[in-house]
Amino acid sequence: MKNVLVVNYSQTGQLAQITAQLVEPLRAAGHRVHLETLVPETAYPWPWPIIDFVDAFPECVQLDAPPLKPLSIAADTPFDLVILTYQVWYLSPALPMTAFLHSPAGRQLIHGKPVITLVACRNMWLSAQQTMQHLIGEAGGQLRDHLAFTDQGHPLATFITTPRWVLTGRRDRFLGLPAAGVAAEEIRQASRFGRALADALDRDEEKSGAAMLAGLRAVTVNARLALSERAGQRAFRVWSKLIRAFGKRGQWRRRPILLIFTLYLITLVLTVVPLSLLLQWLFSPLLKPRLDRLKNELEQPSGSQEYNLEKYAQ
C-alpha cells in the first residue's frame, strides 16, 4: 500500500468536499492517506469583508504569502505521492498554498515526488496553475496530473454570484441566477478520480512519469477565457506593484489606491471582459486554429478526454 500526502486549504468548504470525494476511494483501497490542512498564523475571514478581500490582492499576485502554523507532520516524512488542492485568488494560488510551496517543510515534502494538483474555482485557473507548476518544479516535485472543478454557470452570471458568495457567504440562487460554486453532482463525481488513482497506485504508475488520470475529463479549458485571463494577469502584475508601493497589507495609507483598483476591477469586469469575449466570438473562424492549439496545450497533462469515464463512474 502507498503513502499519500494530501495538502488542503478550503476557505468555503467546497474544496474540502471535493478533496474528501477524492480521498475516500484511496482509503477504501487500503492506501494510507495523510490529510494536511493548512492553517495560516493569521486566519483569513469568511465571508470576506470587502476591504480585507481587496487588500489581499497585491500579495496574492506577488506571491508574498504570510507564514503558516507548523505542519502536523515532519518535513522528512516519506510519501509516494503528493496531492495539492487549492483555491484561486486573483488569478493566483490562494496564499496559504503559496506559503506551503515557499516553506522549507513544504519544499522538502514534495522534493522528488510525483504531484497531483486539484483546483476548485469560478472559472479562471490557468494562470494560477502555471504558477503552481513553476513552484512545484522549483521545489523538485514532478507534476503528474491536474484536476479542475469550476462553476458551470455563464461567465456573466458568475460575475455576480461569486462575489456575492465571497462577500456575504450566501451561494443560493439569486435574481434568477444559478447558485454559485461547483455543482453538487460534479463534487460527487470527483470520486472517479480517487478510484482511478487507487488502481494506478496498485500498478505503481506513480513511478512511470506519465499521467495517471487521463480519460476522465480531468480538465476542460475554455480557450477564449484563457486569452482574457492572460490580459488580466498582465494588468494585475502592474497594479499589485503599484499598490505595494503605497504600503503593506493592512496599512491605511494604501486604502485610497485600493479603492481606485476596485473601481478599475469593476469596470474591467463589466466592460472589457464581455467585449473581449464578444470580439473572440465574432472572429472565431480566424481564431479557431490558435484557440484549438491553446486548448490542447493548457489541458495537459491529464486532458479532457473521456475514454475512462464509464469504467470509473459511480
Side-chain angles (χ1 to χ4, degrees):
M1 295 297 102
K2 304 298 173 63
N3 294 311
V4 180
L5 171 64
V6 180
V7 182
N8 174 262
Y9 175 79
S10 180
Q11 195 181 31
T12 68
Q14 173 180 263
L15 184 60
Q17 292 176 339
I18 297 171
T19 301
Q21 291 291 327
L22 174 68
V23 164
E24 193 279 330
L26 294 176
R27 287 178 168 155
H31 298 291
R32 292 178 288 270
V33 179
H34 176 82
L35 178 60
E36 183 71 26
T37 299
L38 302 177
V39 181
E41 285 191 358
T42 302
Y44 294 98
W46 181 258
W48 285 83
I50 188 167
I51 189 62
D52 291 334
F53 176 67
V54 179
D55 202 19
F57 159 74
E59 284 66 36
C60 285
V61 177
Q62 294 298 321
L63 306 181
D64 184 10
L68 301 169
K69 292 185 178 180
L71 303 179
S72 66
I73 52 172
D76 60 354
T77 305
F79 289 99
D80 300 291
L81 176 71
V82 177
I83 302 174
L84 306 178
T85 73
Y86 71 98
Q87 297 174 273
V88 176
W89 295 354
Y90 294 104
L91 305 182
S92 302
L95 283 169
M97 184 56 69
T98 300
F100 173 80
L101 290 170
H102 277 164
S103 70
R107 293 168 70 90
Q108 185 174 348
L109 282 165
I110 70 173
H111 182 78
K113 305 294 192 304
V115 178
I116 295 173
T117 50
L118 185 158
V119 63
C121 64
R122 185 178 69 87
N123 58 20
M124 289 187 172
W125 53 263
L126 298 171
S127 297
Q129 180 60 16
Q130 289 174 337
T131 300
M132 288 287 291
Q133 189 167 355
H134 175 73
L135 294 175
I136 291 167
E138 275 191 339
Q142 305 155 7
L143 181 63
R144 190 61 53 78
D145 284 281
H146 176 57
L147 314 176
F149 293 82
T150 60
D151 188 328
Q152 294 301 301
H154 190 280
L156 296 180
T158 62
F159 279 139
I160 298 172
T161 57
T162 301
R164 176 176 178 261
W165 187 18
V166 169
L167 299 176
T168 70
R170 298 181 61 184
R171 61 177 299 189
D172 55 319
R173 293 178 64 86
F174 178 66
L175 297 177
L177 301 175
V182 179
E185 181 60 17
E186 281 295 309
I187 293 175
R188 187 188 69 80
Q189 291 180 9
S191 61
R192 68 186 186 273
F193 296 110
R195 289 188 290 275
L197 186 56
D199 284 352
L201 291 173
D202 288 343
R203 297 189 294 265
D204 294 331
E205 289 183 13
E206 78 281 2
K207 302 174 184 178
S208 69
M212 296 178 283
L213 300 175
L216 294 169
R217 199 177 64 235
V219 177
T220 302
V221 168
N222 183 336
R224 293 179 183 176
L225 286 177
L227 296 180
S228 299
E229 182 174 343
R230 288 181 172 183
Q233 186 187 35
R234 288 192 292 268
F236 278 7
R237 286 171 179 164
V238 174
W239 274 101
S240 62
K241 291 178 180 179
L242 176 63
I243 294 170
R244 281 163 66 92
F246 281 76
K248 296 181 179 180
R249 184 168 181 246
Q251 292 182 331
W252 279 90
R253 66 173 180 263
R254 83 174 188 179
R255 292 198 173 183
I257 191 67
L258 285 172
L259 175 60
I260 295 172
F261 167 72
T262 302
L263 295 175
Y264 160 81
L265 187 60
I266 293 171
T267 302
L268 183 76
V269 166
L270 295 179
T271 61
V272 177
V273 172
L275 180 60
S276 171
L277 294 175
L278 175 61
L279 290 174
Q280 289 180 51
W281 178 76
L282 291 174
F283 292 98
S284 57
L286 297 176
L287 290 172
K288 188 176 186 306
R290 179 187 177 190
L291 294 176
D292 287 344
R293 287 195 301 271
L294 187 61
K295 176 180 171 65
N296 291 333
E297 172 191 338
L298 295 174
E299 287 182 348
Q300 298 304 313
S302 305
S304 59
Q305 295 83 9
E306 301 183 353
Y307 55 83
N308 271 332
L309 269 183
E310 185 176 351
K311 180 178 179 181
Y312 290 106
Q314 187 177 49

